[in-house]
Amino acid sequence: MKKKSYTAVLLSCLLLAAGCASEGPHEGASQPVQAPKPTRQVLDLVLPFDKYELTQQENYTVAKARDSLIKQCMEKRGHEWNILHYPSRVDEIKNRRRYGVIEMQVAREFGYHANSAILSGNEDVQQQRNERDKLLDHDGMQAAYKEKTGCGYKANDVLDRGGVGADYHLFNRLSSELLADAKKDPDVVRITRRWSACMKDQGHVYRTPDEAISDPHWWKKESEKASSAEKAVAIADVQCKSHVNLVSALFEAETKLQNKAIKQHDAYFDKLAKARATYLEHVHNVIEKRDAP
């Protein structure tokens, strides 16, 4: 199986804080969306696989390095490139929605809908990117974003130099499969039945939280806002998860499965860890060179 560059695979959502935007121009700016601060339960959801991916804070560090490289490239091509202001500290909340909606304030305000502010805690990086793109004319857009020859792609080449490669196909497959397996754990199945009974007591008939969040009634219209009915179900969902300790059961089951997978594929995960470390070394070298007097 062909390797993918660390940038292409591990950083497929490099700018998660910017809404997981793909490489390319962005049209139309919207006002930053505020999101509730993550709860302690969310902050404590750290799974064994997480250490083989970049943290959200490291994503920002990568973004700074890329901005610096793109700026140099764009200036050589006669275009300006503003370096964005990234938060100096962010909460690590990559698993905030792994088990569905689990925070009461999020359920009350957003129902089952999500946005970049909820998923990353960021409120304005995407806004900054939109504003930067508005300053670029057609030639500037091409210089920055054109596939293979754009400055963004050139920046990735610098960070991936030396053949930093990581095959994340197995990682992504295991991550998805083990979550599904965790939901089939006997204890989790038993607790999920209790969750369903709790929901029924509140007038909502769903067998699992997945059924509740995927209810087609919530997704009939392309809207970023949840209906009052959706919010009511989401609130009950969070209450019932808390009542039966479903999130803790899922987290415990998935943690065991991931630790077992790491042991079973130890050489593979060692390789991922080395690729991650080498990539970050390249990133920090770029930043140190930029900040050097």
Side-chain angles (χ1 to χ4, degrees):
M1 186 175 290
K2 184 179 180 181
K3 288 182 181 179
K4 296 292 187 68
S5 72
Y6 203 82
T7 303
V9 180
L10 185 56
L11 301 181
S12 60
C13 281
L14 167 65
L15 296 180
L16 176 60
C20 279
S22 60
E23 191 77 60
H26 304 272
E27 298 179 1
S30 58
Q31 293 300 315
V33 178
Q34 300 287 333
K37 286 289 186 181
T39 62
R40 171 48 55 185
Q41 183 183 39
V42 168
L43 296 176
D44 287 342
L45 292 179
V46 181
L47 289 162
F49 275 21
D50 290 348
K51 63 184 177 182
Y52 297 97
E53 298 182 287
L54 294 185
T55 66
Q56 289 177 301
Q57 191 67 63
E58 288 167 341
N59 278 327
Y60 281 127
T61 303
V62 173
K64 291 178 185 178
R66 290 184 78 252
D67 263 359
S68 179
L69 292 169
I70 294 172
K71 181 178 178 64
Q72 296 173 27
C73 174
M74 290 289 281
E75 288 178 346
K76 290 180 181 178
R77 298 182 181 188
H79 301 283
E80 293 186 2
W81 183 263
N82 296 329
I83 294 180
L84 305 187
H85 299 288
Y86 299 99
S88 58
R89 181 189 175 281
V90 293
D91 292 317
E92 299 300 330
I93 55 173
K94 68 173 61 180
N95 295 317
R96 189 173 203 170
R97 294 292 293 267
R98 190 162 184 86
Y99 307 126
V101 176
I102 65 174
E103 300 164 280
M104 184 55 67
Q105 195 61 34
V106 171
R108 287 175 178 150
E109 295 184 27
F110 299 94
Y112 288 117
H113 281 63
N115 54 45
S116 61
I118 292 174
L119 298 177
S120 70
N122 170 261
E123 298 166 359
D124 68 354
V125 172
Q126 181 63 54
Q127 180 77 5
Q128 291 184 62
R129 293 188 76 222
N130 289 338
E131 292 299 323
R132 179 172 63 190
D133 284 350
K134 286 170 62 178
L135 299 176
L136 298 174
D137 57 17
H138 175 75
D139 289 342
M141 285 288 191
Q142 291 294 303
Y145 297 119
K146 188 174 181 180
E147 188 173 358
K148 295 184 180 180
T149 62
C151 289
Y153 290 86
K154 297 294 184 183
N156 292 345
D157 290 342
V158 172
L159 297 179
D160 286 327
R161 70 189 184 279
V164 178
D167 181 359
Y168 269 76
H169 289 86
L170 177 60
F171 180 92
N172 292 330
R173 179 171 64 80
L174 286 172
S175 180
S176 178
E177 290 178 353
L178 296 181
L179 174 57
D181 289 344
K183 294 175 181 178
K184 298 174 186 176
D185 177 87
D187 287 340
V188 172
V189 171
R190 175 178 53 80
I191 293 173
T192 300
R193 291 197 188 102
R194 292 175 56 201
W195 172 91
S196 181
C198 174
M199 290 290 284
K200 188 175 181 179
D201 288 343
Q202 298 195 44
H204 311 295
V205 181
Y206 298 100
R207 291 178 300 173
T208 67
D210 289 342
E211 278 193 5
I213 198 171
S214 61
D215 189 323
H217 289 94
W218 319 145
W219 313 109
K220 285 183 177 180
K221 298 180 180 180
E222 294 183 4
S223 173
E224 295 182 359
K225 295 184 178 180
S227 65
S228 58
E230 177 186 334
K231 291 178 181 179
V233 173
I235 289 170
D237 182 358
V238 173
Q239 289 174 336
C240 289
K241 281 184 179 132
S242 177
H243 179 67
V244 301
N245 292 319
L246 180 55
V247 174
S248 296
L250 278 166
F251 177 71
E252 181 178 347
E254 190 175 17
T255 296
K256 290 179 180 178
L257 290 169
Q258 287 195 0
N259 278 326
K260 183 178 179 181
I262 291 171
K263 291 180 180 179
Q264 289 177 335
H265 305 277
D266 57 342
Y268 170 74
F269 280 94
D270 285 346
K271 191 172 184 179
L272 293 187
K274 290 177 181 177
R276 178 183 183 279
T278 301
Y279 185 84
L280 286 175
E281 182 180 353
H282 292 174
V283 168
H284 287 295
N285 287 341
V286 169
I287 292 176
E288 289 175 4
K289 183 177 181 180
R290 181 198 67 180
D291 295 340

